[in-house]
Amino acid sequence: MINQIDFVDCGLLVREVSKNFGPTTVLNVVNLDVRQGEFFTLLGPSGCGKTTLLRIIAGLELPDSGKVFLDGRDITPLPASKRQINTVFQSYALFPHLKIYENVAFGLKARRFSQKDVDDRVGRYLEMLSLGGLEHRYPHQLSGGQKQRVALARALVNEPEVLLLDEPMSALDAHLRARVQADLRRLQRELGTTFIMVTHDQDEAMMISDHLAVMNDGDVLQVGQPRDVYTKPTNQFVAEFLGATNILPAVRHGDRVMTGLGDFFMQHPPDWVKGRLTIRPEHIEVENADQGGANRIKAQVCETLYSGAALDLLLEPEPVGDPNPDFPVRPGQVKVRTYTRDHIDRGEYVNLFFPPSHLVALNDQPF
């Protein structure tokens, strides 16, 4: 039951939204808070439900249950045309027979704005998006990045409260994508408009979002600031989807945890007795000498990959002794990224330190 909705600082709220297509559950009781004026991203693999959720927010789909609120008002029954929400689609959806000016002005003319207001608004947003001088071209005469900016101008010229972006950079090459990402972030900050973006690209989501929600199989698994979700994932899916990581089955014994690599101390020990830990490759330190002490292991380098800024290593841990019958899980290979060493030979042994502050307990079911 939906009651006692807290609208403080929340421009858009999704409450207990579910959606099925036939026997398939696409959204499973989704709740979401998007603050007014922030850049929020729905992140997840294909088929996780993120685009369906975006379409429900836009009014292009109706939920089977649940509600959507904008500025404290229930907009669930409103058609898309009655919501202060505009959408930029993955395909841009520009009118090929209309020039750029007419494409951008289309919504304003449909709402019967005066010609002066249309000219003023269209000119302002074309300049803001570096499209000045292209008004008389047709979409087929523009590059992919220019088409994307025209689609943005056409949506923003209506000055919506919320702008929805459905995989806005998926059709762009790497160079254009980086430029459009910077443009989007700058534009959102200048306008103060709430942006909600759908993407499957974790790097993109972390670079430009104020908050992001990781989705899978119709569920929102974790919501937070990009840095927090990356460094403190709550489950194995989130940990692995946001980038390379090490997953370590573990058993807690008091203030330490036992893993296949050895016994580790943690800054925040888990509540569970049996579960999994994670640590990002860049958080494992390569030491120049065996310093001894807790949270240190020795490992042999199996593969190296030099990327300019970093050196990625795949290592085989040195055995820690006879297998423990109470802990039969053997260690796998360890992934490490180092920014302090630019060359390590395959076959070389190195000393690794696992900082207690970077070992994170996951909340998945026990292994």
Side-chain angles (χ1 to χ4, degrees):
M1 183 176 180
I2 302 170
N3 54 25
Q4 298 298 317
I5 301 295
D6 180 10
F7 295 110
V8 177
D9 293 330
C10 285
L12 185 133
L13 301 178
V14 175
R15 284 294 178 267
E16 299 179 15
V17 164
S18 297
K19 182 69 177 179
N20 298 302
F21 291 127
T24 304
T25 298
V26 181
L27 294 173
N28 183 29
V29 195
V30 169
N31 290 281
L32 215 58
D33 294 8
V34 180
R35 293 182 179 275
Q36 186 174 4
E38 76 170 337
F39 200 123
F40 193 97
T41 298
L42 302 173
L43 173 66
S46 298
C48 73
K50 57 188 186 296
T51 295
T52 299
L53 180 56
L54 198 78
R55 289 175 62 82
I56 288 173
I57 293 170
L60 302 173
E61 295 277 358
L62 287 174
D64 294 336
S65 62
K67 294 181 182 295
V68 179
F69 298 87
L70 181 60
D71 291 338
R73 187 165 64 112
D74 181 4
I75 63 170
T76 315
L78 296 181
S81 61
K82 299 296 184 182
R83 304 185 184 198
Q84 285 296 309
I85 296 174
N86 277 81
T87 306
V88 176
F89 296 99
Q90 183 177 350
S91 61
Y92 313 140
L94 301 178
F95 299 115
H97 62 288
L98 297 181
K99 293 180 180 179
I100 300 313
Y101 176 93
E102 282 82 14
N103 262 283
V104 176
F106 186 85
L108 298 177
K109 289 184 175 181
R111 293 160 60 192
R112 301 186 182 280
F113 277 64
S114 71
Q115 188 61 50
K116 182 181 184 307
D117 286 342
V118 172
D119 288 341
D120 288 347
R121 282 208 197 185
V122 171
R124 180 157 64 94
Y125 282 98
L126 288 178
E127 288 299 323
M128 188 180 294
L129 286 153
S130 303
L131 293 167
L134 302 179
E135 304 94 306
H136 302 298
R137 293 191 187 183
Y138 288 94
H140 73 271
Q141 296 174 311
L142 302 182
S143 68
Q146 289 170 331
K147 289 178 184 177
Q148 181 61 268
R149 295 202 298 277
V150 172
L152 281 168
R154 187 177 64 178
L156 289 168
V157 78
N158 296 302
E159 298 184 351
E161 290 186 45
V162 179
L163 181 68
L164 306 179
L165 302 147
D166 185 10
E167 299 273 8
M169 288 160 271
S170 62
L172 305 179
D173 61 36
H175 176 73
L176 277 176
R177 181 175 295 195
R179 179 176 175 181
V180 174
Q181 286 170 354
D183 286 344
L184 274 179
R185 196 59 179 122
R186 171 187 57 80
L187 193 63
Q188 191 273 331
R189 284 177 173 155
E190 286 179 5
L191 296 173
T193 304
T194 304
F195 281 24
I196 302 177
M197 181 178 73
V198 157
T199 185
H200 63 272
D201 187 321
Q202 58 269 38
D203 292 333
E204 183 172 280
M206 288 191 288
M207 283 174 58
I208 64 178
S209 307
D210 293 310
H211 288 87
L212 58 85
V214 182
M215 297 183 64
N216 191 41
D217 291 336
D219 291 312
V220 173
L221 301 182
Q222 188 171 353
V223 180
Q225 294 180 342
R227 181 184 297 274
D228 291 338
V229 177
Y230 180 77
T231 58
K232 300 173 184 176
T234 57
N235 61 71
Q236 186 168 343
F237 178 86
V238 173
E240 293 179 330
F241 190 76
L242 285 183
T245 196
N246 297 280
I247 304 295
L248 309 175
V251 174
R252 178 174 57 83
H253 289 286
D255 61 350
R256 63 186 176 88
V257 290
M258 181 173 65
T259 77
L261 301 177
D263 291 357
F264 290 150
F265 289 94
M266 299 177 62
Q267 188 176 65
H268 302 289
D271 295 328
W272 41 255
V273 173
K274 191 176 184 181
R276 293 178 176 87
L277 309 180
T278 186
I279 185 169
R280 298 289 180 190
E282 64 271 23
H283 293 153
I284 300 173
E285 299 175 13
V286 179
E287 298 183 327
N288 292 325
D290 185 0
Q291 300 182 28
N295 290 38
R296 289 178 166 87
I297 70 167
K298 187 173 237 184
Q300 186 178 30
V301 178
C302 301
E303 294 291 345
T304 66
L305 182 63
Y306 176 67
S307 62
L311 184 65
D312 290 341
L313 308 174
L314 191 62
L315 305 108
E316 189 72 37
E318 196 173 60
V320 294
D322 295 331
N324 188 324
D326 298 324
F327 189 77
V329 179
R330 301 299 300 169
Q333 291 182 321
V334 177
K335 297 182 283 287
V336 175
R337 171 169 290 182
T338 176
Y339 297 93
T340 60
R341 304 274 292 272
D342 61 8
H343 180 77
I344 297 177
D345 291 324
R346 289 177 58 189
E348 185 178 343
Y349 280 88
V350 296
N351 302 290
L352 305 178
F353 174 58
F354 292 68
S357 60
H358 288 299
L359 284 163
V360 177
L362 302 176
N363 295 328
D364 292 297
Q365 293 295 316
F367 61 89

